[in-house]
Amino acid sequence: DAGVIQSPRHEVTEMGQEVTLRCKPISGHNSLFWYRQTMMRGLELLIYFNNNVPIDDSGMPEDRFSAKMPNASFSTLKIQPSEPRDSAVYFCASSTGGSNTEAFFGQGTRLTVV
Amino acid sequence: QQQVKQSPQSLIVQKGGIPIINCAYENTAFDYFPWYQQFPGKGPALLIAIRPDVSEKKEGRFTISFNKSAKQFSLHIMDSQPGDSATYFCAASKFGDDKIIFGKGTRLHILP
């Protein structure tokens, strides 16, 4: 398996524009997570899905952020409109689900909003 | 409220030294404590993990020490090497919950 695949690797956009980040989890994994990494806040959990259903979105910073998982092999994180403070590295991770299992991370998308 | 507190934020150690990274948690429902290692430009990857029924776990040069009563755990790296230079995250999760809560990370630099 190629691991968790994220696209794009880098995104530079202007403030106010819509940004869509994409993730393909490892085949057979039931849980999918979106994290945001910044120097100030470290790794923050934004939302996670189990069997394509959003379970906990309490980490989503505000209504400008939304996430979907239309099927077991694809998820998106959308920011609309984007703001400079959204600049960060966004990671997608997947796991087999259940308690105490390893999360496998993608290589991340570095987002810069200017 | 930060559920997992990690220190220090950054650490510089000479080659061969023993860097120690500390973490503390509040939620006694946590029952799984992994450490993740992240190299620049990469996503974090699981390094080693411990459950609260043991006080220590070793894998190669990496050791987790766990103090259940103090709600603290730490990572020790024996005979550290420049290749160990990375960001280290402690984390916690609880039975019945998929999500993993991470500390803020420690940037470790091992001098050659």
Side-chain angles (χ1 to χ4, degrees), chain A residues 67-105:
Chain A
K68 294 182 180 179
M69 191 164 187
N71 57 62
S73 59
F74 184 66
S75 177
T76 60
L77 178 67
K78 183 182 293 186
I79 308 172
Q80 180 186 24
S82 58
E83 296 182 3
R85 60 193 168 119
D86 301 331
S87 297
V89 181
Y90 291 81
F91 285 101
C92 175
S94 69
S95 75
T96 53
S99 304
N100 306 338
T101 56
E102 178 180 357
F104 293 81
F105 283 76

Side-chain angles (χ1 to χ4, degrees), chain B residues 62-76:
Chain B
F62 299 90
T63 299
I64 302 178
S65 298
F66 188 86
N67 186 329
K68 188 174 181 178
S69 60
K71 293 186 288 186
Q72 295 176 347
F73 57 110
S74 59
L75 177 70
H76 302 232

Side-chain angles (χ1 to χ4, degrees), chain B residues 6-79:
Chain B
Q6 182 172 348
S7 63
Q9 214 171 9
S10 62
L11 187 57
I12 300 174
V13 173
Q14 290 281 352
K15 177 184 172 182
I18 306 175
I20 300 173
I21 304 171
N22 300 300
C23 283
Y25 64 98
E26 288 297 323
N27 190 342
T28 54
F30 287 145
D31 66 349
Y32 180 66
F33 302 90
W35 285 86
Y36 280 72
Q37 180 188 53
Q38 182 185 32
F39 292 107
K42 305 291 186 183
L46 180 65
L47 180 64
I48 184 174
I50 196 169
R51 300 182 195 280
D53 53 345
V54 297
S55 60
E56 186 177 276
K57 183 173 182 180
K58 288 185 180 180
E59 285 188 6
R61 296 183 294 107
F62 299 90
T63 299
I64 302 178
S65 298
F66 188 86
N67 186 329
K68 188 174 181 178
S69 60
K71 293 186 288 186
Q72 295 176 347
F73 57 110
S74 59
L75 177 70
H76 302 232
I77 306 175
M78 308 302 288
D79 187 28

Side-chain angles (χ1 to χ4, degrees), chain A residues 9 30-31 33 35 37-43 45 48-50 56 58 91 95 97-108, chain B residues 2 9 31-34 36 38 41-47 51 87 89 93-105 107:
Chain A
R9 289 294 311 277
N30 298 320
S31 293
F33 309 85
Y35 285 90
Q37 184 176 18
T38 61
M39 288 294 291
M40 288 294 293
R41 295 174 176 268
L43 264 176
L45 177 64
Y48 84 94
F49 296 82
N50 184 263
D56 185 342
S58 59
F91 285 101
S95 75
S99 304
N100 306 338
T101 56
E102 178 180 357
F104 293 81
F105 283 76
Q107 297 210 64
Chain B
Q2 194 179 354
Q9 214 171 9
D31 66 349
Y32 180 66
F33 302 90
Y36 280 72
Q38 182 185 32
K42 305 291 186 183
L46 180 65
L47 180 64
R51 300 182 195 280
T87 298
F89 293 94
S93 67
K94 56 186 178 181
F95 184 82
D97 195 342
D98 286 350
K99 68 183 181 183
I100 304 170
I101 305 299
F102 286 86
K104 287 192 174 183
R107 297 180 71 176

